[in-house]
Amino acid sequence: MTRPAVFLDRDGTLIEERGYLSRLEDIELFPWTVDAVRALNDAGFATVVITNQAAIGRGIIDHAFLDQAHAAIDRTLAEGGARIDAYYVCPHHPEAQLSEYRVVCDCRKPQPGMILRACADLGLDPARSVMVGDRWLDVACGHAAGTRAVLLRTGHGSREAKAPPGDVNADAILNNLMEAVAWILRTCSR
Ligand SMILES: [Mg+2]
Ligand SMILES: [Zn+2]
């Protein structure tokens, strides 16, 4: 049996956009993030973070820092009874300074590789799932993987919403993750 999921961009979606986040003290969840994630948990959606982290390929952060950052997010969520089920990270960039990450991969959003991998690993059904993010590449990634896709106006989203690319259309453009959760609960069957 496959489950529906909500795939969540990290920066600008779950937490404040801080450019290349490289200090744990810069992690700041939005005021509604814990409640929004818990509502998705309670409704039976898998919650999976899908994040481009070219900062790894650029040598700005390493995987150990990323693990610490995600553990910090998890601790804050857990205090409010909320949970991320899995994190998928693309460390690559075609011009990465570190040669092992300097590739044109299938996982850097807008490519759908991370979502497809999560669906295979965790038994998730893209057709009943939604990708949520603050950039058009998040929307394009979701659609390429066969999910619905919501653009948020948090993070880069207010700027992005004003400059829609010709070839990408969001299923909804909403103010923040809490509005997206309300939309998902209304729109998606579980
Ligand atoms: Mg983002
Ligand atoms: Zn990648």
Side-chain angles (χ1 to χ4, degrees):
M1 208 182 100
T2 58
R3 291 175 72 194
V6 176
F7 298 104
L8 297 156
D9 171 53
R10 195 191 78 179
D11 302 344
T13 297
L14 287 176
I15 64 176
E16 294 276 4
E17 169 65 51
R18 299 283 191 234
Y20 285 136
L21 178 84
S22 60
R23 304 187 318 167
L24 293 178
E25 56 266 39
D26 290 340
I27 295 173
E28 189 181 348
L29 277 70
F30 290 107
W32 48 80
T33 296
V34 173
D35 291 337
V37 172
R38 190 182 54 246
L40 294 173
N41 299 146
D42 290 347
F45 290 95
T47 50
V48 181
V49 169
I50 300 289
T51 181
N52 284 354
Q53 292 296 328
I56 291 183
R58 293 186 184 280
I60 297 168
I61 60 168
D62 58 16
H63 281 285
F65 173 81
L66 209 56
D67 290 345
Q68 287 175 21
H70 295 169
I73 293 170
D74 286 344
R75 272 195 301 279
T76 305
L77 290 172
E79 286 166 9
R83 159 192 97 246
I84 294 296
D85 291 308
Y87 289 83
Y88 285 77
V89 175
C90 168
H92 309 114
H93 192 277
E95 290 156 23
Q97 277 80 351
L98 304 181
S99 57
E100 73 245 61
Y101 299 113
R102 193 183 309 137
V103 293
V104 177
C105 62
D106 67 359
C107 52
R108 180 172 167 78
K109 295 181 288 187
Q111 298 301 315
M114 288 188 278
I115 292 181
L116 297 177
R117 213 154 293 147
C119 287
D121 291 347
L122 306 172
L124 307 175
D125 178 4
R128 287 187 295 147
S129 298
V130 183
M131 173 74 201
V132 181
D134 67 319
R135 298 189 63 190
W136 289 108
L137 61 77
D138 297 307
V139 172
C141 170
H143 284 167
T147 75
R148 277 180 274 186
V150 174
L151 182 74
L152 303 184
R153 292 194 184 89
T154 47
H156 293 293
S158 59
R159 196 187 65 223
E160 294 264 309
K162 287 180 195 136
D167 52 345
V168 188
N169 273 306
D171 294 278
I173 300 178
L174 301 168
N175 286 327
N176 59 52
L177 181 60
M178 192 50 109
E179 285 192 9
V181 168
W183 182 89
I184 290 164
L185 297 181
R186 274 200 314 275
T187 311
C188 301
S189 58
R190 273 96 76 193

